[in-house]
Amino acid sequence: MSTRDDTTDVRDVPTERDDQPLLKISNLHTYFRTDSEDVRAVDGVSLTVDPGETVAIVGESGSGKTVASEAITRLFKSPPGYIPEGSIEINGREITDLSDEELRRVRGGEVSHVFQNPQGALNPVYTIGWQIREALQLHADVSKSEARERAVELLTQVGIPEASSRLDDYPHEFSGGMKQRVLIAIALACEPDLLIADEPTTALDVTIQAQILELLAELQEQRDMGMLFITHDLGVVAEIADRVAVMYAGKIMEKGSVEDVFETPAHPYTRALLDCLPGRGGIGGIPGELPDPRSPPPGCRFADRCRHAIDACRTGDQPGMHRVGDAPDHTTSCVHFEPGRDSSTVLDAGSEPAGSPSPPDDLERGGRR
Amino acid sequence: MKWYVIRRVLWAAFASFIILTITFVLMDQVPNQQLMQAEFQAAVNDVDVETAVQAEKERLGLDRPFHERYLDFMTNVFQGDWGWSYEYDQPVVDVVRETVPYSLLYGVPAIVLSTVIGTAIGLYSAVNQYTKKDYAATFAAFFGISIPNFWFGIVLLVVFGSWLGWVPIGWNADIPLAADGSWTLLETAGSDHPAFFRQDFEGERYVGILSPANLKQLILPTFVLMTGAIASVMRYARAEALEYVDADFVKTAKSKGVSNRAIVTKHIFRPASIPLMTILVGRILGLVLFGSYLIEVVFGIPGIGLASFQAIIRQDTDLVAITILLPTFVAIVGNLIEDIMYAVLDPRIDYGDR
Amino acid sequence: MGEDTDTRTKADGGTAPRDVTFEQVDWDEIDADGVARSRKRVAWLAVVSLWTIGVAYDLYSRFVAETGQAAFPVLGSVSPVDWLWSFTLLVLLYYGVVPLYENPRMTRYYWKEFKKNKAAVVSALYLIVVFAIGVIGPRVLPEPEPTPGLENQPPVWGSIEAYSAGTSCAGGTTTVDGVTMCQGSWQHPFGTTSSGEDILLSSIYGMEVSMQVGLIATLMSISVAAAVGLTAAYYGGLVDEVLMRYVDIQMTFPTFFLFLLLAYTIGSSLFVLILIFGLFGWGSSARIMRSEALQRREEPYMKAAKNAGASSLWTIRRHLLPNISNSLITAATLTIPSIILAEAAIAFLGLGDPTVPSWGRLISDGRDQLRTAWWISTIPGGFLFFTILAFNFLGDALRDALDPRHGGSGE
Ligand code: SF4
């Protein structure tokens, strides 16, 4: 844990911590160029993550949640991807206009990622020891033996038994869950302030999923690290997150603390999502499809699938974020919550009638890319 | 692993054996030059053709049963007794020894350069997929793989040799040699050196492999041989690298903060290089062998290809057999090396079966 | 047939009887009424039978009756290459052109997809022109013959020192710097060879040779490859092992050297060359077919066919073959240029049939005249180069269009 102290010293964070979020995304857009019109994967997203806090972004495939998370350190493929507008601040520093070289230091240093599929996320031709060492040596001037020691330490922390004997093993000698642990070790190697975990458990067995979630929560606690957790699984959100943002078609539909959102889901989309959870009545997915990301319709993006849609939903822009009830930062983007309208139309409506007979995991099959 | 290597070696030996057998059977069908000669002689000298041919057959051992001759052939091949070349009037093995260096002279640089350049362009193209540069490179590669070597060589000779006069049209086989006929890297020689036959000049000029005159006459053949090879290597390298450009582990590396250059060289090239090497050794070798055969004929380089060509024209059967077998064996050994290399280099390979 | 098959099967609502489902993969008319289809089939069978009878009669009179080549009404005598050539053209017509003509909707779709690739469109046009000229030209044009006196005539725009050319000059002479120059003329637009053969005429005859060699040998090669690949994949086990080990051995021989060896030992008349190319160059295609078929073997319709008690041959031909036809087409388009190149190379080396006006032979004719008559080698070689290039572009475009799994590499 020695390095950890160093890093905290170097960055004069503690004093500013209280009034400044660790990550502040404002009005972020990320588009992908195609032969015809640009695909607007992320279309105006604002979000903050405070130190030590876990924020979850939840949404279906194609909602833009993964792109949004990768846009933070510009990991998406570019070209064709680009950020036409928006700002991303890490510890108060704007990073959208950093050069590649400067950004490189942010990646892995201040902000780390863990991805969805551990199977392919480790380079098959290098030992895991090599891959952890690479991460360490990129951001700190450590000798090979120091790095080795540190790698063993990290692997032990993420729960790899007999870590020192496994350093020279190749990725194919690890199981999926073990690989994900290694990847978490790599992500944590340089003591990041923010960990972005993009569906880190989706590709794993159910039992392993729980272990990994637990591990992440534990590590976050120990290190007081901020975490941005991307998932399509509301159950996982309830388990791990402090706050949640619901994303749909490149926009945020609702955000607030986990309690508020689960207690009083406001946006019709959130409500529909919650209804899809097992044991909540509705069994079908949400009928309808995501709007075309090349030319999204005017008004609310969810209008075509929304049972509460009214004429006002189909004009102008996406409705602004309106307060829901009295909760301090529980907001939603729905016209029914505009001041002067009756939000109970939505809030008091019963469970959605079961829609099309498609299975719930259709949620994950949407038109990706 | 050990068993895998042993199996591969045994297989290569078996394949060689089959190929030798096929070659022997096929070559046995070809009318024998010496018999025809004897027949002709007999007819001219007005002796009995039948007996003359029979005598010649006995002399050559052709009257013996098939299996004996077959055994003979096999043992001879392994003992390095490859028969007699009537065209060169010396043992085939000596012809090979004399001609192969000429083939290596331009073949080796062509292989090395085309591998390096082709891989570099392929990687670059893959990393910049869908950009104009990538399109340009892939488009150019089509020309590279489509252009017939022998015709391209001729076109270049017409342009640079005949029209511009920058390179000689005839190939001077004595330039890379010392005055006494041995190979030399670089030295000076006077006008009595065989390379300067019928040239009169004062003082000394450079001869040897690295002499300017030799390099000059090597440029075109090397270049022609390279075009096709670069294009193929490039296409393979690009396809192979593309498998990895969007791989998850590349994203992991990027998220760790690895620089773009290190991503390309360490994270994309290294895994791509393993299957790439497999392709390179086997296919590029085949390509180069095939290309060099024709190129030597076009440029008049007295290498193994030209020897084979002349042997074919003159029906110098022993020489034909060996000059065709030789590249085949090079290819077999190349394939063997490639398989073993693949096994050694790729940690993912499981040697359990096959 | 991957995607296409699936979607079209779906379009049928999956209710079509199994046989029809696979018919459409066969590129036969989907909506045609049964009568039209069977009439077409009858016509096809009749043509094939006619052809077979012709071949049988020819063989009979050559080898049994030993009266030499059979003489046919109208056709006169037919050479072995022409037999193969006519059959290849028939197959091309029946399996290529007819389905496209009968399925205008599908044709339009393919054309729309294909049109996007400019290089491939230009290539296809070029090949159609070469093919047409190659097929028609030799029927209507005189054979190129050595013409004493008209050697080394330059192309129409060029000139040559008169002492390097034949005794007469088709395009008249001029004097430049005291040297008499022989001018080119429209009589020989691309000039003549060192024996006075017209190069344009020879090149046109060469087109036929290249197309014959390329298409016939490819048809043979692909048929063998499909037969071997599918059999190996379908039966698996020992059959697979034996066939594939044989392929391994054939492929340890670098293709060109195998061709060279065979051409040298067996002989190299055009007919024999075609047989060599067709029967010994199919190794890699067979491997592709096999791996493709292995994937298909596990699919439900294969199991269904087996369970329904279909015979092996039937299952392979009616179910497995149609479903790998995309790979087949792609492999074929990429085999053609390699065979054309091999033929040219062998002719260039002087191993080919000296009476056949192959491009390779023309190139080699001019090799000693680079200084004086550069056009002899370069012009026929140009045709060769562009033909190979065009086939490569076309093959790549087809692969992109037919097989979505391969990333495109052409423009
Ligand atoms: S704004 Fe309208 S369409 Fe959108 S969620 Fe609210 S009610 Fe539905």
Side-chain angles (χ1 to χ4, degrees):
Chain A
M1 287 264 101
S2 56
T3 30
R4 180 152 192 272
D5 295 337
D6 300 345
T7 36
T8 347
D9 281 348
V10 175
R11 294 174 205 148
D12 46 346
V13 185
T15 46
E16 291 176 48
R17 267 201 172 172
D18 300 328
D19 46 347
Q20 180 187 303
L22 166 58
L23 168 73
K24 181 160 182 263
I25 302 176
S26 332
N27 196 26
L28 175 70
H29 292 68
T30 308
Y31 293 179
F32 290 86
R33 294 210 162 86
T34 66
D35 290 342
S36 53
E37 266 171 285
D38 287 358
V39 168
R40 307 179 182 190
V42 177
D43 209 6
V45 160
S46 302
L47 193 74
T48 58
V49 179
D50 287 330
E53 185 191 34
T54 300
V55 175
I57 300 183
V58 65
E60 329 169 48
S61 283
S63 62
K65 58 189 196 305
T66 292
V67 175
S69 75
E70 289 179 1
I72 295 170
T73 53
R74 258 189 267 154
L75 281 183
F76 52 76
K77 198 167 180 180
S78 166
Y82 68 107
I83 298 180
E85 71 173 293
S87 120
I88 300 164
E89 284 173 33
I90 303 261
N91 290 325
R93 183 161 66 128
E94 177 65 43
I95 63 164
T96 41
D97 46 14
L98 290 189
S99 71
D100 281 354
E101 187 52 32
E102 289 166 321
L103 197 62
R104 203 170 68 67
R105 262 176 257 133
V106 174
R107 294 176 185 158
E110 285 167 87
V111 182
S112 278
H113 287 259
V114 176
F115 299 107
Q116 176 168 5
N117 182 6
Q119 289 309 343
L122 286 165
N123 196 322
V125 300
Y126 295 105
T127 62
I128 58 147
W130 189 96
Q131 300 190 48
I132 299 177
R133 229 170 37 231
E134 185 187 36
L136 284 167
Q137 288 176 327
L138 277 168
H139 296 283
D141 191 14
V142 286
S143 72
K144 209 176 159 181
S145 60
E146 277 171 331
R148 203 183 155 85
E149 236 168 76
R150 182 90 182 91
V152 174
E153 208 175 295
L154 279 164
L155 285 179
T156 317
Q157 279 172 27
V158 297
I160 303 245
E162 297 174 54
S164 57
S165 68
R166 304 223 58 181
L167 274 188
D168 296 323
D169 286 352
Y170 286 93
H172 70 272
E173 296 166 82
F174 289 77
S175 69
M178 282 297 164
K179 274 187 198 153
Q180 194 62 295
R181 286 172 192 269
V182 171
L183 283 158
I184 293 172
I186 291 177
L188 297 181
C190 295
E191 304 293 328
D193 299 328
L194 175 68
L195 179 69
I196 301 176
D198 183 4
E199 307 239 18
T201 59
T202 312
L204 303 173
D205 288 348
V206 187
T207 45
I208 316 269
Q209 281 187 10
Q211 290 171 13
I212 296 282
L213 277 184
E214 211 169 286
L215 175 71
L216 280 172
E218 199 182 287
L219 290 166
Q220 185 207 15
E221 182 110 344
Q222 282 170 15
R223 292 161 187 250
D224 200 23
M225 172 173 77
M227 181 149 82
L228 185 62
F229 199 96
I230 318 295
T231 184
H232 68 281
D233 185 344
L234 283 166
V236 171
V237 174
E239 216 167 297
I240 199 166
D242 302 315
R243 285 192 298 127
V244 59
V246 180
M247 238 182 122
Y248 181 82
K251 297 225 180 244
I252 288 186
M253 295 289 129
E254 176 166 8
K255 58 187 176 186
S257 72
V258 169
E259 294 88 49
D260 290 339
V261 173
F262 277 69
E263 286 287 306
T264 348
H267 197 275
Y269 177 61
T270 319
R271 297 174 71 88
L273 273 185
L274 281 166
D275 282 336
C276 295
L277 276 183
R280 284 262 192 151
I283 40 153
I286 307 167
E289 281 168 8
L290 280 164
D292 181 4
R294 285 162 215 253
S295 50
C300 177
R301 301 250 159 127
F302 188 58
D304 283 347
R305 297 164 81 179
C306 181
R307 55 193 287 241
H308 303 290
I310 52 175
D311 286 346
C313 302
R314 298 182 198 274
T315 53
D317 288 332
Q318 178 75 28
M321 298 299 282
H322 304 294
R323 289 273 299 271
V324 179
D326 305 328
D329 51 357
H330 184 190
T331 53
T332 186
S333 158
C334 174
V335 287
H336 290 292
F337 292 83
E338 267 173 14
R341 280 193 205 264
D342 181 12
S343 59
S344 59
T345 1
V346 178
L347 291 175
D348 297 344
S351 185
E352 295 256 342
S356 65
S358 52
D361 55 27
D362 247 10
L363 191 59
E364 257 311 292
R365 267 206 262 140
R368 203 166 214 192
R369 256 166 249 164
Chain B
M1 174 79 179
K2 201 174 81 196
W3 281 110
Y4 174 79
V5 173
I6 291 176
R7 251 198 309 259
R8 296 309 307 174
V9 172
L10 285 180
W11 172 253
F14 177 68
S16 317
F17 170 77
I18 298 273
I19 282 171
L20 279 173
T21 308
I22 294 173
T23 311
F24 174 76
V25 173
L26 286 173
M27 287 299 175
D28 206 45
Q29 313 298 313
V30 180
N32 188 297
Q33 276 280 291
Q34 288 153 275
L35 283 187
M36 279 155 61
Q37 193 103 34
E39 199 178 325
F40 178 73
Q41 283 293 329
V44 169
N45 298 342
D46 207 20
V47 288
D48 184 32
V49 173
E50 280 293 306
T51 38
V53 168
Q54 193 55 39
E56 182 69 10
K57 262 191 178 169
E58 262 163 47
R59 199 178 68 79
L60 294 169
L62 286 176
D63 55 336
R64 290 179 303 145
F66 182 82
H67 68 269
E68 272 183 40
R69 282 183 289 130
Y70 171 63
L71 269 178
D72 252 21
F73 169 80
M74 293 303 255
T75 38
N76 284 344
V77 165
F78 282 104
Q79 287 166 356
D81 175 5
W82 293 345
W84 185 264
S85 161
Y86 292 90
E87 174 60 22
Y88 286 77
D89 203 19
Q90 54 180 335
V92 167
V93 81
D94 290 340
V95 178
V96 169
R97 200 175 294 138
E98 273 167 32
T99 52
V100 163
Y102 285 104
S103 299
L104 297 182
L105 219 48
Y106 68 95
V108 171
I111 291 181
V112 173
L113 286 176
S114 54
T115 311
V116 173
I117 298 175
T119 315
I121 300 178
L123 266 184
Y124 181 85
S125 211
V127 176
N128 295 290
Q129 196 190 7
Y130 301 135
T131 62
K132 290 235 160 53
K133 293 168 199 157
D134 175 36
Y135 285 131
T138 37
F139 198 74
F142 268 104
F143 283 83
I145 55 161
S146 301
I147 200 158
N149 269 333
F150 54 102
W151 175 72
F152 190 39
I154 286 177
V155 171
L156 291 183
L157 270 182
V158 166
V159 174
F160 293 103
S162 175
W163 293 354
L164 297 172
W166 291 354
V167 293
I169 285 193
W171 214 82
N172 192 332
D174 291 313
I175 290 259
L177 305 177
D180 59 359
S182 64
W183 290 88
T184 176
L185 277 181
L186 190 63
E187 61 183 57
T188 52
S191 56
D192 54 341
H193 187 279
F196 308 126
F197 179 64
R198 284 210 259 170
Q199 290 183 35
D200 255 338
F201 57 88
E202 293 294 307
E204 306 232 287
R205 286 186 186 173
Y206 283 113
V207 294
I209 295 170
L210 295 177
S211 63
N214 189 45
L215 295 181
K216 203 161 135 189
Q217 64 179 356
L218 281 175
I219 289 177
L220 283 190
T222 316
F223 180 72
V224 171
L225 190 51
M226 273 166 56
T227 46
I230 288 183
S232 319
V233 177
M234 181 261 161
R235 279 161 59 105
Y236 288 125
R238 178 176 178 277
E240 216 40 77
L242 274 185
E243 300 259 305
Y244 298 107
V245 164
D246 289 325
D248 282 347
F249 61 77
V250 169
K251 201 156 75 175
T252 307
K254 212 168 157 189
S255 80
K256 285 199 279 191
V258 180
S259 70
N260 283 336
R261 231 187 70 212
I263 284 184
V264 173
T265 54
K266 286 187 184 160
H267 288 272
I268 298 177
F269 177 63
R270 184 62 218 288
S273 68
I274 295 168
L276 203 55
M277 255 179 270
T278 345
I279 295 161
L280 292 187
V281 181
R283 310 226 176 145
I284 302 310
L285 209 62
L287 199 77
V288 166
L289 289 171
F290 162 59
S292 60
Y293 199 103
L294 296 159
I295 282 172
E296 285 175 15
V297 175
V298 169
F299 288 93
I301 303 171
I304 187 103
L306 190 63
S308 184
F309 167 65
Q310 276 161 354
I312 286 175
I313 291 186
R314 310 268 150 78
Q315 307 246 311
D316 194 349
T317 304
D318 285 353
L319 189 54
V320 175
I322 291 303
T323 47
I324 291 179
L325 280 177
L326 220 55
T328 306
F329 282 117
V330 173
I332 291 181
V333 173
N335 275 314
L336 181 65
I337 295 176
E338 136 198 329
D339 282 350
I340 294 176
M341 230 163 43
Y342 194 51
V344 171
L345 287 176
D346 194 338
R348 288 163 296 186
I349 289 259
D350 183 14
Y351 317 103
D353 54 350
R354 283 174 67 75
Chain C
M1 273 251 143
E3 301 295 302
D4 293 333
T5 316
D6 295 349
T7 49
R8 266 180 282 140
T9 313
K10 251 182 237 151
D12 254 1
T15 51
R18 160 147 278 119
D19 197 40
V20 176
T21 313
F22 289 104
E23 280 296 350
Q24 73 203 40
V25 186
D26 244 0
W27 288 30
D28 288 357
E29 175 61 80
I30 306 173
D31 308 314
D33 49 346
V35 185
R37 193 167 62 238
S38 62
R39 204 182 296 150
K40 195 184 77 181
R41 181 141 289 168
V42 168
W44 168 241
L45 286 178
V47 170
V48 172
S49 321
L50 258 180
W51 185 88
T52 318
I53 293 170
V55 172
Y57 179 58
D58 200 11
L59 288 175
Y60 171 80
S61 53
R62 268 175 212 235
F63 298 107
V64 185
E66 297 194 343
T67 49
Q69 271 188 340
F72 292 92
V74 189
L75 297 171
S77 65
V78 183
S79 75
V81 173
D82 287 333
W83 280 122
L84 292 179
W85 185 221
S86 55
F87 187 71
T88 307
L89 292 181
L90 284 176
V91 169
L92 214 61
L93 197 70
Y94 184 73
Y95 287 104
V97 181
V98 170
L100 286 179
Y101 172 76
E102 284 182 340
N103 270 331
R105 202 166 45 99
M106 202 169 74
T107 311
R108 240 175 284 127
Y109 168 77
Y110 278 125
W111 172 241
K112 207 181 100 222
E113 285 298 302
F114 184 74
K115 226 171 34 185
K116 292 182 191 157
N117 191 328
K118 294 279 174 300
V121 173
V122 174
S123 302
L125 287 178
Y126 171 82
L127 289 176
I128 289 172
V129 169
V130 167
F131 178 81
I133 296 180
V135 170
I136 301 166
R139 309 276 166 275
V140 296
L141 294 169
E143 246 179 88
E145 269 167 18
T147 321
L150 277 174
E151 292 94 350
N152 286 359
Q153 297 292 312
V156 61
W157 64 89
S159 59
I160 182 177
E161 292 86 350
Y163 56 79
S164 299
T167 45
S168 47
C169 276
T173 54
T174 49
T175 311
V176 182
D177 298 336
V179 183
T180 317
M181 300 295 280
C182 198
Q183 294 295 328
S185 79
W186 280 108
Q187 202 184 328
H188 301 291
F190 287 162
T192 61
T193 67
S194 48
S195 59
E197 276 176 53
D198 182 71
I199 288 179
L200 179 61
L201 214 50
S202 302
S203 296
I204 289 176
Y205 271 75
M207 287 176 193
E208 188 188 28
V209 174
S210 280
M211 286 293 158
Q212 281 179 339
V213 173
L215 295 179
I216 301 174
T218 300
L219 180 66
M220 290 165 78
S221 175
I222 288 296
S223 311
V224 179
V228 171
L230 295 186
T231 312
Y234 181 80
Y235 290 103
L238 188 65
V239 177
D240 184 23
E241 192 70 13
V242 169
L243 287 175
M244 285 300 121
R245 286 301 83 76
Y246 171 75
V247 170
D248 282 352
I249 292 199
Q250 189 183 297
M251 289 195 59
T252 41
F253 238 128
T255 322
F256 175 70
F257 291 95
L258 182 61
F259 290 165
L260 209 59
L261 182 68
L262 289 168
Y264 179 73
T265 51
I266 303 181
S268 53
S269 69
L270 192 58
F271 179 68
V272 175
L273 264 189
I274 290 174
L275 289 186
I276 292 175
F277 294 150
L279 298 180
F280 295 98
W282 47 266
S284 56
S285 307
R287 281 187 188 164
I288 296 172
M289 303 285 157
R290 174 177 169 270
S291 64
E292 188 83 5
L294 273 182
Q295 290 167 19
R296 306 279 171 212
R297 196 179 64 170
E298 298 310 320
E299 281 176 27
Y301 56 80
M302 286 294 298
K303 298 227 169 87
K306 261 192 207 174
N307 292 343
S311 76
S312 301
L313 191 67
W314 173 266
T315 319
I316 292 178
R317 206 185 91 63
R318 304 301 297 178
H319 294 179
L320 212 45
L321 180 63
N323 281 290
I324 62 156
S325 57
N326 273 4
S327 313
L328 200 95
I329 294 170
T330 309
T333 358
L334 296 175
T335 306
I336 297 172
S338 67
I339 286 181
I340 291 181
L341 179 64
E343 188 275 331
I346 281 180
F348 174 77
L349 290 175
L351 256 181
D353 188 338
T355 61
V356 172
S358 155
W359 288 334
R361 205 208 74 205
L362 287 170
I363 297 173
S364 110
D365 276 354
R367 204 177 72 244
D368 301 327
Q369 320 270 327
L370 296 190
R371 239 183 266 274
T372 45
W374 55 267
W375 52 87
I376 304 175
S377 283
T378 46
I379 291 179
F383 284 114
L384 174 65
F385 170 43
F386 286 114
T387 305
I388 295 173
L389 186 67
F391 271 117
N392 277 330
F393 272 131
L394 200 63
D396 191 66
L398 282 178
R399 181 171 50 194
D400 284 353
L402 299 176
D403 192 349
R405 277 166 308 162
H406 287 281
S409 49
E411 239 204 310

